[in-house]
Amino acid sequence: MRKTYFISDLHLSDDRSDITEAFFTFLDEHMNTDVDALYILGDFFEVWIGDDERAPLANLVAEKLTNLKELNIDVYFLHGNRDFLIGKSYAKQANFRLLPEQAVIDLYGNKTVILHGDEMCTQDIAYQNFRKKSRGWWWPKLILATPLWYRRRVAKNARQKSKENQKGKALDILDVTSEAVQAMFEKYNVCNMIHGHTHRPCVHTSQTDDQEFTRTVLGDWYSQSSYLVVNELGQVLEGSKLQS
């Protein structure tokens, strides 16, 4: 039976070789000729400062993804809040197709909107202001025009500031809002949604008079290798503990 996989929030980095190993194991164990596609819904890397960095880890990951061509598996990627600077150059190297930040796909007859999910955390005003700026036309061009050493410093400072800001915020502020979720369903006229970002894996369902809505949240890979597999009969959200 044909299958499609979804992953998000791996946060691959040199500091967490266990996550990298878990991802490669996932590819070895789950990617086969029965798989139609692999969707990566953002925050694939812990940080991305530009395609021109060409870090060894990024090159190795690209090689592993390129190998999926031999299995005729299509790989798709949409940006998260950590890796929104991934561009066409790395996409070509890693053999994946870049998607818009919100995309509607036909998932075995079920029209589904997929996204990273951070745009639905509308209570976090400070983050939403930064998101609007960083996704604009001028900010990425400006930051990518600076030297790599400067971008590394900016990224390090941004991560530290983000950690400090989150310490003082209630968990609900860092989660999606029901209003934003409903607006996303209505915007794309769908009843099915898949996203990551919140690190709270769960399948949420709600019912109106004549429709059932399903929102599947992917887990992160800090402590488990979380993935969603979907076939024509339905979906299963799985995750296995990382080896310490």
Side-chain angles (χ1 to χ4, degrees):
M1 185 174 294
R2 309 305 301 173
K3 297 177 288 187
T4 295
Y5 282 82
F6 298 82
I7 56 176
S8 179
D9 299 280
L10 279 73
H11 297 270
L12 296 172
S13 73
D14 291 328
D15 296 332
R16 290 294 304 268
S17 60
D18 57 329
I19 297 178
T20 303
E21 292 171 4
F23 174 57
F24 293 162
T25 298
F26 163 80
L27 294 179
D28 291 339
E29 293 182 351
H30 295 278
M31 297 297 103
N32 55 55
T33 55
D34 293 332
V35 177
D36 288 317
L38 170 65
Y39 287 85
I40 305 170
L41 305 189
D43 281 8
F44 190 35
F45 290 93
E46 175 69 8
V47 64
W48 192 270
I49 62 173
D51 292 3
D52 54 334
E53 186 179 30
R54 299 299 185 187
L57 174 60
N59 290 333
L60 180 57
V61 170
E63 180 183 338
K64 293 289 186 178
L65 291 177
T66 300
N67 290 340
L68 298 184
K69 286 195 302 184
E70 299 177 3
L71 300 172
N72 294 319
I73 297 174
D74 295 322
V75 183
Y76 300 90
F77 173 86
L78 56 81
H79 296 103
N81 53 294
R82 300 295 187 98
D83 48 20
F84 59 87
L85 289 177
I86 286 180
K88 294 180 180 179
S89 177
Y90 187 69
K92 182 178 180 180
Q93 180 188 356
N95 191 48
F96 60 65
R97 187 179 304 175
L98 288 172
L99 296 176
E101 62 182 19
Q102 300 157 8
V104 176
I105 62 174
D106 184 347
L107 195 53
Y108 304 109
N110 192 0
K111 189 179 177 184
T112 301
V113 61
I114 58 175
L115 61 160
H116 182 60
D118 54 323
E119 63 266 58
M120 296 189 296
C121 300
T122 54
Q123 292 188 94
D124 193 345
I125 304 301
Y127 170 71
Q128 292 301 328
N129 288 336
F130 170 74
R131 188 183 191 281
K132 183 178 180 180
K133 178 183 72 173
S134 63
R135 302 304 197 279
W137 67 270
W138 64 271
W139 193 90
K141 289 184 178 180
L142 178 63
I143 197 68
L144 289 174
T146 62
L148 281 169
W149 66 264
Y150 178 78
R151 279 180 260 162
R152 292 189 186 100
R153 188 171 70 180
V154 169
K156 181 179 180 180
N157 291 340
R159 289 198 303 274
Q160 185 60 38
K161 185 176 181 181
S162 176
K163 290 179 181 179
E164 293 174 355
N165 289 339
Q166 289 183 14
K167 288 180 181 179
K169 292 179 180 177
L171 290 178
D172 288 346
I173 292 179
L174 301 175
D175 203 352
V176 301
T177 64
S178 57
E179 294 82 3
V181 169
Q182 187 59 38
M184 194 67 66
F185 278 127
E186 293 176 357
K187 178 180 179 180
Y188 292 104
N189 190 29
V190 298
C191 297
N192 197 41
M193 180 189 304
I194 302 171
H195 71 84
H197 181 65
T198 64
H199 300 185
R200 298 180 180 184
C202 188
V203 179
H204 302 270
T205 59
S206 59
Q207 186 79 40
T208 63
D209 292 338
D210 57 352
Q211 286 183 314
E212 181 178 81
F213 296 88
T214 301
R215 177 173 64 94
T216 303
V217 185
L218 303 173
D220 64 84
W221 284 49
Y222 284 131
S223 59
Q224 63 171 331
S225 50
S226 177
Y227 64 87
L228 173 71
V229 57
V230 181
N231 61 33
E232 59 193 60
L233 299 181
Q235 64 177 39
V236 178
L237 184 63
E238 294 282 1
S240 58
K241 295 294 183 181
L242 296 184
Q243 297 296 320
S244 58

